[in-house]
Coordinates of all heavy atoms in Angstrom, one line a residue:
F1 N 96.6 52.5 3.7 CA 97.9 52.1 3.2 C 98.2 52.8 1.9 O 99.3 53.2 1.7 CB 97.8 50.5 3.0 CG 99.0 49.9 2.3 CD1 100.2 49.7 2.9 CD2 98.9 49.5 0.9 CE1 101.3 49.1 2.3 CE2 100.0 49.0 0.3 CZ 101.2 48.8 1.0
A2 N 97.2 52.9 1.0 CA 97.4 53.6 -0.2 C 97.7 55.1 0.0 O 98.6 55.7 -0.7 CB 96.1 53.5 -1.1
S3 N 97.1 55.7 1.0 CA 97.4 57.1 1.2 C 98.8 57.4 1.7 O 99.5 58.3 1.4 CB 96.4 57.7 2.3 OG 95.1 57.8 1.8
R4 N 99.3 56.4 2.6 CA 100.6 56.5 3.1 C 101.6 56.2 1.9 O 102.7 56.9 1.9 CB 100.9 55.6 4.2 CG 99.9 55.8 5.4 CD 100.1 57.1 6.1 NE 98.8 57.5 6.7 CZ 98.1 58.5 6.4 NH1 98.5 59.4 5.5 NH2 97.0 58.8 7.1
L5 N 101.3 55.2 1.1 CA 102.2 54.9 0.0 C 102.4 56.0 -1.0 O 103.4 56.2 -1.6 CB 101.6 53.7 -0.7 CG 102.5 52.7 -1.5 CD1 103.5 52.1 -0.5 CD2 101.7 51.7 -2.2
S6 N 101.3 56.9 -1.1 CA 101.3 58.0 -2.1 C 101.7 59.3 -1.5 O 101.5 60.3 -2.2 CB 100.0 58.0 -2.8 OG 98.9 58.2 -1.8
G7 N 102.2 59.3 -0.3 CA 102.9 60.6 0.2 C 102.1 61.2 1.4 O 102.5 62.3 1.8
S8 N 101.0 60.7 1.8 CA 100.3 61.2 3.0 C 99.9 62.7 2.8 O 100.1 63.5 3.6 CB 101.2 61.2 4.3 OG 101.4 59.8 4.6
S9 N 99.3 62.9 1.6 CA 98.8 64.3 1.3 C 97.8 64.8 2.3 O 97.6 66.0 2.5 CB 98.3 64.4 -0.1 OG 97.2 63.5 -0.2
D10 N 97.0 63.8 2.9 CA 96.0 64.2 3.8 C 96.6 64.9 5.1 O 96.0 65.6 5.8 CB 95.2 63.0 4.3 CG 96.0 61.9 4.8 OD1 97.1 61.7 4.4 OD2 95.6 61.2 5.8
L11 N 97.9 64.6 5.4 CA 98.5 65.2 6.5 C 99.3 66.4 6.2 O 99.5 67.3 7.0 CB 99.6 64.2 7.1 CG 99.0 62.8 7.6 CD1 100.2 61.8 8.0 CD2 98.0 63.0 8.7
Y12 N 99.9 66.6 4.9 CA 100.8 67.6 4.7 C 100.4 68.6 3.6 O 101.0 69.7 3.7 CB 102.2 67.0 4.3 CG 102.7 66.0 5.3 CD1 102.8 64.6 5.1 CD2 103.1 66.5 6.6 CE1 103.2 63.8 6.1 CE2 103.5 65.6 7.5 CZ 103.6 64.3 7.3 OH 104.1 63.4 8.3
E13 N 99.6 68.2 2.8 CA 99.2 69.2 1.6 C 98.6 70.5 2.1 O 98.8 71.5 1.5 CB 98.4 68.5 0.5 CG 98.2 69.3 -0.7 CD 97.6 68.4 -1.8 OE1 96.8 67.5 -1.5 OE2 97.9 68.7 -3.0
H14 N 97.7 70.4 3.1 CA 97.0 71.6 3.6 C 97.8 72.7 4.0 O 97.5 73.9 4.0 CB 96.0 71.2 4.7 CG 96.7 70.7 6.0 ND1 97.0 71.7 7.0 CD2 97.2 69.6 6.4 CE1 97.6 71.1 8.0 NE2 97.8 69.8 7.7
S15 N 99.1 72.4 4.5 CA 100.0 73.4 5.0 C 101.0 73.9 3.9 O 101.9 74.6 4.2 CB 100.8 72.9 6.2 OG 101.5 71.8 5.9
G16 N 100.8 73.5 2.6 CA 101.6 73.9 1.6 C 102.9 73.1 1.4 O 103.8 73.5 0.7
R17 N 102.9 72.0 2.2 CA 104.2 71.1 2.1 C 104.0 70.1 1.0 O 102.9 69.9 0.4 CB 104.4 70.5 3.5 CG 104.9 71.5 4.4 CD 105.3 70.9 5.8 NE 104.1 70.5 6.6 CZ 104.3 69.8 7.7 NH1 105.4 69.4 8.2 NH2 103.1 69.5 8.4
R18 N 105.1 69.4 0.7 CA 105.1 68.4 -0.4 C 105.3 67.1 0.2 O 105.5 66.9 1.4 CB 106.3 68.8 -1.2 CG 106.1 70.3 -1.8 CD 106.5 70.4 -3.3 NE 106.3 71.6 -3.8 CZ 107.0 72.2 -4.9 NH1 108.0 71.4 -5.4 NH2 106.7 73.3 -5.4
P19 N 105.3 66.0 -0.7 CA 105.4 64.7 -0.2 C 106.6 64.4 0.7 O 106.6 63.6 1.7 CB 105.5 63.9 -1.5 CG 104.8 64.7 -2.5 CD 105.1 66.1 -2.2
F20 N 107.7 65.1 0.5 CA 108.9 64.9 1.2 C 108.8 65.5 2.7 O 109.8 65.3 3.4 CB 110.2 65.4 0.5 CG 110.1 66.8 0.0 CD1 110.2 67.9 0.9 CD2 109.9 67.1 -1.3 CE1 110.1 69.2 0.5 CE2 109.9 68.4 -1.8 CZ 109.9 69.4 -0.9
A21 N 107.8 66.1 3.0 CA 107.5 66.4 4.4 C 107.3 65.2 5.3 O 107.5 65.2 6.5 CB 106.3 67.3 4.6
S22 N 107.0 64.1 4.6 CA 106.8 62.8 5.3 C 108.1 62.0 5.3 O 108.6 61.5 4.4 CB 105.7 62.0 4.6 OG 105.5 60.7 5.3
I23 N 108.7 61.8 6.5 CA 109.8 60.9 6.8 C 109.2 59.6 7.0 O 108.6 59.4 8.1 CB 110.7 61.4 7.9 CG1 111.2 62.8 7.7 CG2 111.9 60.4 8.1 CD1 112.0 63.0 6.5
N24 N 109.3 58.7 6.1 CA 108.7 57.4 6.1 C 109.5 56.3 6.8 O 110.7 56.1 6.4 CB 108.3 56.9 4.7 CG 107.3 57.8 4.0 OD1 106.5 58.4 4.7 ND2 107.4 57.9 2.7
F25 N 109.1 55.7 7.8 CA 109.9 54.7 8.6 C 108.9 53.6 9.1 O 107.7 53.9 9.4 CB 110.7 55.4 9.7 CG 109.9 55.9 10.8 CD1 109.9 55.2 12.1 CD2 109.2 57.1 10.8 CE1 109.2 55.6 13.2 CE2 108.4 57.5 11.8 CZ 108.5 56.8 13.0
V26 N 109.5 52.5 9.2 CA 108.8 51.3 9.9 C 109.3 51.0 11.2 O 108.6 50.7 12.1 CB 108.9 50.1 8.9 CG1 108.3 48.8 9.6 CG2 108.2 50.4 7.6
T27 N 110.7 51.2 11.4 CA 111.3 51.1 12.6 C 112.3 52.2 12.9 O 112.7 52.9 12.0 CB 112.1 49.7 12.7 OG1 113.0 49.7 11.7 CG2 111.2 48.5 12.6
A28 N 112.6 52.4 14.1 CA 113.6 53.4 14.5 C 114.2 52.9 15.8 O 114.0 51.8 16.3 CB 112.9 54.8 14.8
H29 N 115.1 53.7 16.4 CA 115.9 53.3 17.6 C 115.0 52.9 18.7 O 115.2 52.0 19.5 CB 116.8 54.3 18.0 CG 116.1 55.6 18.5 ND1 115.7 56.6 17.8 CD2 115.7 55.9 19.8 CE1 115.0 57.5 18.6 NE2 115.1 57.1 19.8
D30 N 113.8 53.5 18.8 CA 112.8 53.3 19.9 C 111.8 52.3 19.4 O 110.9 52.6 18.6 CB 112.2 54.6 20.2 CG 111.3 54.5 21.5 OD1 111.3 53.4 22.1 OD2 110.8 55.6 21.9
G31 N 111.9 51.1 19.9 CA 111.0 50.0 19.5 C 111.7 48.8 19.0 O 112.9 48.7 19.1
F32 N 110.9 47.9 18.4 CA 111.6 46.7 17.8 C 112.4 47.0 16.6 O 112.1 48.0 15.9 CB 110.4 45.7 17.3 CG 109.8 44.9 18.4 CD1 108.5 44.5 18.4 CD2 110.5 44.5 19.6 CE1 107.9 43.8 19.4 CE2 110.0 43.7 20.5 CZ 108.7 43.3 20.4
T33 N 113.5 46.2 16.4 CA 114.1 46.2 15.1 C 113.2 45.6 14.1 O 112.2 44.9 14.5 CB 115.4 45.4 15.1 OG1 115.1 44.0 15.4 CG2 116.4 45.9 16.2
M34 N 113.5 45.7 12.8 CA 112.6 45.1 11.8 C 112.6 43.5 11.9 O 111.5 43.0 11.7 CB 113.1 45.5 10.3 CG 112.1 45.4 9.3 SD 112.6 46.0 7.7 CE 112.4 47.7 7.9
R35 N 113.7 42.9 12.2 CA 113.7 41.5 12.4 C 112.8 41.2 13.6 O 112.0 40.1 13.6 CB 115.1 40.9 12.6 CG 115.1 39.4 12.8 CD 116.4 38.8 13.0 NE 117.2 38.6 11.7 CZ 117.0 37.6 11.0 NH1 116.3 36.5 11.3 NH2 117.9 37.5 9.9
D36 N 113.0 41.9 14.7 CA 112.1 41.6 15.9 C 110.6 41.9 15.7 O 109.8 41.3 16.3 CB 112.7 42.4 17.1 CG 114.0 41.9 17.6 OD1 114.5 40.9 17.1 OD2 114.6 42.5 18.5
L37 N 110.4 42.7 14.8 CA 109.0 43.1 14.4 C 108.3 41.9 13.8 O 107.0 41.7 14.0 CB 108.9 44.2 13.4 CG 107.6 45.0 13.2 CD1 107.1 45.7 14.4 CD2 107.8 46.0 12.0
V38 N 109.0 41.1 13.2 CA 108.4 39.8 12.6 C 108.7 38.5 13.4 O 108.4 37.4 12.9 CB 108.9 39.6 11.1 CG1 108.4 40.8 10.3 CG2 110.4 39.4 11.0
T39 N 109.3 38.7 14.6 CA 109.7 37.5 15.4 C 109.0 37.6 16.8 O 109.0 36.4 17.4 CB 111.3 37.6 15.6 OG1 111.9 37.7 14.3 CG2 111.8 36.4 16.3
Y40 N 108.5 38.7 17.2 CA 108.0 38.7 18.6 C 106.6 39.4 18.6 O 106.5 40.4 17.9 CB 108.9 39.5 19.5 CG 110.3 38.9 19.7 CD1 111.4 39.2 18.8 CD2 110.5 37.9 20.7 CE1 112.6 38.6 19.0 CE2 111.8 37.3 20.8 CZ 112.8 37.6 20.0 OH 114.0 37.1 20.2
N41 N 105.7 38.8 19.3 CA 104.5 39.5 19.6 C 104.6 40.4 20.8 O 103.8 41.4 21.0 CB 103.3 38.5 19.8 CG 102.8 37.9 18.4 OD1 103.2 38.4 17.4 ND2 102.0 36.9 18.6
E42 N 105.4 40.0 21.7 CA 105.5 40.7 23.0 C 106.9 41.2 23.2 O 107.9 40.7 22.7 CB 105.2 39.8 24.2 CG 103.8 39.1 24.1 CD 102.6 40.1 24.1 OE1 102.8 41.1 24.7 OE2 101.6 39.7 23.5
K43 N 107.1 42.3 24.0 CA 108.4 42.9 24.3 C 109.1 42.0 25.3 O 108.4 41.4 26.2 CB 108.3 44.3 24.8 CG 107.4 44.4 26.1 CD 107.3 45.9 26.5 CE 106.4 45.9 27.7 NZ 106.1 47.4 28.1
H44 N 110.4 42.0 25.3 CA 111.2 41.2 26.3 C 112.3 42.1 26.8 O 113.5 42.0 26.4 CB 111.7 40.0 25.6 CG 110.6 39.0 25.0 ND1 110.1 38.0 25.8 CD2 110.0 39.0 23.8 CE1 109.2 37.4 25.1 NE2 109.1 38.0 23.9
N45 N 111.9 42.9 27.8 CA 112.8 43.9 28.3 C 113.4 43.6 29.6 O 113.7 44.5 30.4 CB 112.1 45.2 28.3 CG 111.6 45.8 26.9 OD1 111.9 45.2 26.0 ND2 111.0 46.9 26.9

C-alpha cells in the first residue's frame, strides 16, 4: 500500500520513468463502479 501510494517506483524507476508513469485507478469501465465495489461481494450480470 505504501509503495503504491508513493508512486510505484518498484515498477517504473528501473526503466528511467517517473511517478507519472503510473495511471492510478481504483475502478474503470470494466468492473464494478466504486459504489458497487462497496455494495456487492458477487457480480450480478
Side-chain angles (χ1 to χ4, degrees):
F1 175 76
S3 292
R4 302 295 155 246
L5 205 61
S6 55
S8 296
S9 61
D10 57 323
L11 299 177
Y12 303 112
E13 191 170 26
H14 67 89
S15 59
R17 289 185 285 175
R18 301 223 178 150
F20 49 75
S22 177
I23 306 298
N24 298 329
F25 68 107
V26 175
T27 58
H29 67 272
D30 190 358
F32 280 147
T33 66
M34 200 174 283
R35 181 182 280 274
D36 288 354
L37 193 65
V38 300
T39 306
Y40 298 93
N41 283 352
E42 306 295 335
K43 61 186 178 182
H44 298 268
N45 296 358

